[in-house]
Amino acid sequence: MKFTLSWLKSHLTTDADAATVAEAMTMAGLEVEDVHDPIATLAPFTVAKIVSAEQHPNADRLRVCQVQTVDGMKEIVCGAPNARAGLTTIYAPIGAYVPGLGVTLVEKPVRGVVSNGMLCSAGELEQPGDSDGILDLPDQLQVGTPAAAVFGAEPVIDFEVTPNRPDWLGVAGIARDLAATGLGTLIDYQIATVRGGFACPITVRIEAPELCPVFAGRLIRGVKNGPSPEWLQRRLSAIGLRSINRLVDVTNLIAYDRARPLHVYDAAKLVGSEIVVRGGQVASDTGEPEHLIALDGKTYALAPEMCVIADAAGERPIGLGGVMGGESTGCSDDTTDVFLESAWFDPIATAQTGRTLTLSSDAQYRFARGVDTASVVPGLELATRLILDLCGGEPSEVIVAGQAPALPAPVAFDPAHVERLTGLTLSDDRIADILTALGFEIARGSPWTVTPPSWRRDVEGAADLVEEVARIEGYGALPSTPLPDQGAPSRGVLNARQARVRLARRALAAIGYAEAVTWSFTRQSTAALFGGGDDRLLVENPIASDLDFMRPSALPNLIQAAARNAARGHADAALFEIGPIYLDDQPTGQRTVIAGLIAPHASRHWSGNGEDALFGLKGDLMALLSQLGAPVASLQLVQGQNRDWWHPGRSARLQLGPKTVLAEFGALHPRVLKALDADGPMLAFEVMLDAVPEPRGARAKTRGPAQLTNLMPLSRDFAFVVEDGKAAGDLIRAVAGADKTLITDVRVFDVYRGQGVAEGHASIGLEVLIQPRDATLTDAEIEALSAKIIAAAAKTGAVLRA
């Protein structure tokens, strides 16, 4: 929204300059974006007269002019075809910045003749007008007159309008708020009624009151259209609007002056004597929607939820209500009779029409935010008076169809709320003065009854009234109250869950995984692959069509992320994510998981594929759980019970019991990968962080001193024969528990099946790492420890291989 300082002063008596106005607007809650002052831009330019214009000795199209300027007589080379002796124009001295060219003038020869300045066209000064030659100004202008005075240049204020304040889309509304702040006195122009000289021959019928509850109009015959007067053209061009003709310019002026959009129809182009307001129609035989060629020259398909203005007994569309008129009834210089429209269109329907058709106009912008419901007839009367003043003619009586929406409801208001909510200590009279200046009606009592004006439908409660008082009194007047002393400041200690999330993030990053941050949504068909798909978790208003469901697992997003990386030449993905998943079979419906994924097919190393990669993933998972303080030694590894997005023969779960599942891991099912357009294989794990128990006494205990020894560790290898299919983890736990003081680690280094091992059995090679504590172990002590290891293994059914 833009306006000039003189335009504002036509509604506000004030001596404030543009900077002061902008400051007052900011303090009143209006977001000023820019104050453009063309007077400063045009300061170097002044009026000059050409005394003589001779042919340039070295160029056919150039003239050497002797010019009388504010700096005395100057010789200037000019290439304009209209440069001649006696011409009054604008002179730019050496050193001036020419905005239309984006250059600063310097003294230099032009074909051998030095030009001591420049004679300017309208375009070079960014002014409206013909730019084929230099400016041709009236002869009565005196040499040295500032160019800003010649063009009537003045500051333009540009600001952003918040959606809840449509009254700020008119200069009169801004003036009202500024007057309330004390910047000046509001000039309250009463809109006089223009009496009609005859009954309006055009009637209006509203078939869609939900789209347009009220429609007013009148016929004005005998008008004379044409170019607008200079004052009107300047007012519109200063804010970036192009002058079209008097009739259209009047509607544009009132839209920006009073936030009241209007429209004029050429009455001679209307078919029939009735205008019908209805929704868009669809042909019953073909199902094709009707179309409208709008004033912008484009054709739009009209839907039933759009407000359509039609003639020919409602058959022919001639406009989109609240958005744009039709080309068929547009006004031209030949128009003599016009039908003037002033209506109120539903804001939501108007906004949706603009979005559907990608069509925006000044009218649509205002109606979508809510035009003053009480301005229908006053806006019509104001436009009638301007048209009669500029175009002449004879008006008919006003016709009104429908009824305007009800005025805003009164609000019960206790003026003591102002101090309670803001700390401002204001008298009741001061509060009443502010609200009255803003257009509110007050009936004092206990409490007050405050009725918002018709243009303030955003005010719905007492807190809204307190905000109005605070912004007009000035936010700078709010008292500075220090916060109460809360004692020692918080040391920022994380809670147990936050600490475990940070620990997990660091542990996985240290292993070599890269963290991914993905949406908490996915496609419903994708969720169905991972046990989801119930409509209860369907998003009603998704941010994208493929993100319409709350994810039941973090794995689909990681799979798709890895696939996108692979498609761009980075197939060796190792990703993890920590975040929420949403389950429809859980009491709370939300759980926090730690998910990891690797794509081993990308590795060219001999050990990067097959079982080695799967065991590597398991090692990463066990290391993570150990870092989180899970009872790793007590975990049960169960196969064959994973859900169906896991590979049935290459996946397992870790649990403390059937009801306490900590994690699932393994290879993802090829069917799932194919559905997600991902090349397999892919290995993954998913840890239910909420199910991982905290270490006992973890919050009370602190880490003791490190127990370091200067003795060298040693290792011993054992090969045990076990039944094929028996979990090696059970054997490892048994061996590690043979002597928890000396044995620090047990690792599998070989699995053998074949000659020398009975069928149905396997030989598992274990490396046992032994760390002496107080003294070097003797052979007898080592043999005794070996016997303990063999005995512990025997309890699991393992036999030492001969």
Side-chain angles (χ1 to χ4, degrees):
M1 173 70 183
K2 296 179 180 179
F3 63 91
T4 62
L5 187 60
S6 66
W7 196 341
L8 175 68
K9 290 183 177 182
S10 68
H11 293 281
L12 184 70
T13 303
T14 180
D15 295 328
D17 58 14
T20 305
V21 169
E23 176 66 19
M25 290 173 64
T26 300
M27 297 309 296
L30 291 90
E31 184 182 347
V32 177
E33 292 192 339
D34 181 47
V35 178
H36 175 62
D37 190 356
I39 297 176
T41 304
L42 296 174
F45 304 93
T46 55
V47 172
K49 291 183 182 292
I50 301 177
V51 176
S52 65
E54 304 294 337
Q55 185 67 41
H56 193 290
N58 302 319
D60 294 338
R61 296 185 179 182
L62 298 179
R63 287 178 173 81
V64 180
C65 303
Q66 303 299 322
V67 183
Q68 184 182 357
T69 73
V70 69
D71 301 322
M73 193 66 67
K74 298 286 184 180
E75 186 173 71
I76 298 175
V77 177
C78 181
N82 63 333
R84 65 182 186 275
L87 180 69
T88 301
T89 187
I90 296 296
Y91 154 72
I94 297 298
Y97 177 78
V98 184
L101 299 178
V103 299
T104 300
L105 299 181
V106 296
E107 185 177 314
K108 65 178 183 179
V110 180
R111 292 290 185 94
V113 178
V114 175
S115 182
N116 298 287
M118 177 180 177
L119 303 179
C120 303
S121 67
E124 289 162 346
L125 298 180
E126 295 184 334
Q127 298 297 315
D130 186 7
S131 296
D132 291 338
I134 58 177
L135 285 159
D136 189 346
L137 302 177
D139 292 338
Q140 60 266 30
L141 288 173
Q142 297 296 315
V143 172
T145 302
V150 174
F151 300 128
E154 57 177 322
V156 177
I157 299 174
D158 185 4
F159 71 101
E160 191 69 28
V161 178
T162 55
N164 66 316
R165 292 302 305 271
D167 57 306
W168 283 344
L169 289 169
V171 180
I174 303 164
R176 183 187 303 110
D177 274 27
L178 292 177
T181 66
L183 188 69
T185 302
L186 183 67
I187 303 173
D188 188 10
Y189 294 108
Q190 295 296 323
I191 299 177
T193 300
V194 179
R195 296 188 178 276
F198 58 95
C200 183
I202 299 175
T203 61
V204 176
R205 174 162 50 93
I206 299 178
E207 294 183 351
E210 72 280 4
L211 301 177
C212 175
V214 61
F215 188 108
R218 78 185 330 160
L219 181 73
I220 306 176
R221 62 191 183 192
V223 300
K224 184 177 181 181
N225 202 10
S228 295
E230 184 180 356
W231 70 267
L232 181 52
Q233 292 189 38
R234 284 188 174 181
R235 178 158 288 185
L236 296 178
S237 63
I239 60 172
L241 294 180
R242 180 173 60 90
S243 175
I244 299 174
N245 55 52
R246 295 173 195 170
L247 292 171
V248 176
D249 287 356
V250 164
T251 62
N252 287 335
L253 176 71
I254 296 176
Y256 277 82
D257 189 71
R258 301 298 177 102
R260 162 35 67 184
L262 304 160
H263 187 65
V264 284
Y265 302 90
D266 189 327
K269 298 177 182 178
L270 293 174
V271 178
S273 60
E274 183 183 43
I275 288 179
V276 179
V277 183
R278 57 172 174 80
Q281 296 179 347
V282 177
S284 58
D285 52 347
T286 64
E288 290 292 322
E290 62 182 342
H291 292 78
L292 169 72
I293 303 176
L295 286 171
D296 61 0
K298 298 179 181 179
T299 301
Y300 298 97
L302 309 181
E305 63 272 11
M306 299 177 184
C307 185
V308 175
I309 314 299
D311 65 358
E315 293 299 320
R316 184 182 71 151
I318 58 173
L320 265 172
V323 181
M324 187 174 289
E327 189 178 74
S328 61
T329 55
C331 294
S332 66
D333 289 351
D334 298 328
T335 298
T336 57
D337 298 340
V338 296
F339 181 75
L340 179 61
E341 165 200 295
S342 179
W344 193 88
F345 299 99
D346 179 71
I348 296 177
T350 306
Q352 186 59 50
T353 299
R355 283 193 294 267
T356 301
L357 301 178
T358 63
L359 175 59
S360 179
S361 65
D362 287 338
Q364 190 267 349
Y365 187 80
R366 284 161 172 78
F367 277 119
R369 282 154 179 78
V371 172
D372 181 5
T373 56
S375 68
V376 174
V377 173
L380 188 70
E381 299 286 7
L382 179 60
T384 301
R385 172 52 56 196
L386 283 171
I387 290 174
L388 295 180
D389 290 345
L390 298 179
C391 306
E394 182 184 6
S396 74
E397 296 174 351
V398 173
I399 58 169
V400 180
Q403 186 174 4
L407 295 174
V411 176
F413 179 64
D414 181 358
H417 277 317
V418 174
E419 185 171 5
R420 276 199 297 271
L421 296 183
T422 67
L424 290 170
T425 303
L426 301 177
S427 66
D428 288 358
D429 289 342
R430 174 57 180 159
I431 295 172
D433 288 344
I434 291 175
L435 294 177
T436 302
L438 292 174
F440 294 85
E441 294 182 1
I442 300 175
R444 297 203 185 193
S446 183
W448 291 3
T449 299
V450 180
T451 304
S454 57
W455 59 84
R456 291 302 306 275
R457 292 183 174 272
D458 60 302
V459 176
E460 299 177 345
D464 296 326
L465 296 173
V466 172
E467 181 184 4
E468 293 300 300
V469 173
R471 72 180 182 86
I472 297 301
E473 182 67 17
Y475 293 126
L478 294 175
S480 299
T481 304
L483 294 174
D485 185 7
Q486 300 294 327
S490 172
R491 292 177 292 176
V493 177
L494 301 177
N495 61 35
R497 181 182 174 279
Q498 292 170 328
R500 299 181 88 182
V501 167
R502 184 173 69 171
L503 186 63
R505 182 176 288 114
R506 292 181 174 180
L508 289 171
I511 295 172
Y513 288 74
E515 183 173 11
V517 180
T518 68
W519 295 106
S520 292
F521 317 107
T522 187
R523 191 190 296 270
Q524 187 173 14
S525 58
T526 301
L529 298 172
F530 290 82
D534 190 292
D535 286 347
R536 287 179 291 177
L537 296 180
L538 192 66
V539 180
E540 290 186 359
N541 186 23
I543 59 175
S545 60
D546 58 345
L547 297 173
D548 60 348
F549 200 85
M550 306 303 293
R551 65 180 184 185
S553 169
L555 294 178
N557 290 357
L558 288 182
I559 294 169
Q560 292 171 322
R564 286 192 296 269
N565 277 276
R568 290 160 177 78
H570 301 282
D572 54 341
L575 306 174
F576 80 92
E577 181 175 10
I578 305 176
I581 62 171
Y582 304 87
L583 307 174
D584 52 22
D585 59 347
Q586 297 293 324
T588 59
Q590 179 175 328
R591 301 187 72 180
T592 301
V593 299
I594 306 171
L597 179 141
I598 61 174
H601 63 277
S603 175
R604 298 183 62 189
H605 194 272
W606 65 272
S607 65
N609 299 289
E611 297 296 329
D612 290 324
L614 183 54
F615 286 127
L617 177 81
K618 178 187 174 185
D620 294 342
L621 175 58
M622 299 300 289
L624 170 63
L625 292 173
S626 178
Q627 286 285 333
L628 294 177
V632 176
S634 303
L635 292 179
Q636 303 170 3
L637 188 143
V638 180
Q639 290 183 270
Q641 296 187 21
N642 278 21
R643 288 167 288 188
D644 58 4
W645 57 88
W646 297 101
H647 194 297
R650 302 187 62 214
S651 62
R653 63 169 50 173
L654 294 173
Q655 62 184 39
L656 290 173
K659 295 183 179 180
T660 309
V661 179
L662 271 62
E664 290 184 338
F665 72 96
L668 292 162
H669 201 291
R671 169 184 55 83
V672 173
L673 297 179
K674 182 178 180 181
L676 297 180
D677 197 22
D679 294 332
M682 287 188 182
L683 311 176
F685 63 79
E686 195 165 37
V687 178
M688 298 296 174
L689 184 60
D690 304 333
V692 179
E694 296 184 22
R696 294 181 180 178
R699 297 184 179 179
K701 292 183 179 180
T702 58
R703 181 178 296 180
Q707 300 295 328
L708 303 178
T709 178
N710 58 355
L711 300 175
M712 290 290 292
L714 68 150
S715 64
R716 287 291 183 269
D717 295 342
F718 299 84
F720 293 99
V721 177
V722 299
E723 292 183 4
D724 207 354
K726 187 175 183 62
D730 297 340
L731 179 61
I732 292 173
R733 281 192 294 272
V735 171
D739 191 323
K740 295 182 179 180
T741 302
L742 294 176
I743 298 175
T744 58
D745 197 9
V746 180
R747 305 167 184 165
V748 176
F749 68 86
D750 181 53
V751 177
Y752 172 74
R753 300 176 183 87
Q755 187 177 358
V757 177
E759 186 175 354
H761 290 72
S763 173
I764 298 179
L766 299 181
E767 178 189 19
V768 180
L769 191 65
I770 304 167
Q771 176 62 63
R773 299 296 178 182
D774 300 322
T776 301
L777 296 178
T778 64
D779 290 342
E781 290 172 331
I782 295 175
E783 289 300 326
L785 179 59
S786 298
K788 286 183 180 181
I789 292 173
I790 295 170
K795 292 179 181 180
T796 67
V799 179
L800 185 66
R801 183 179 174 189

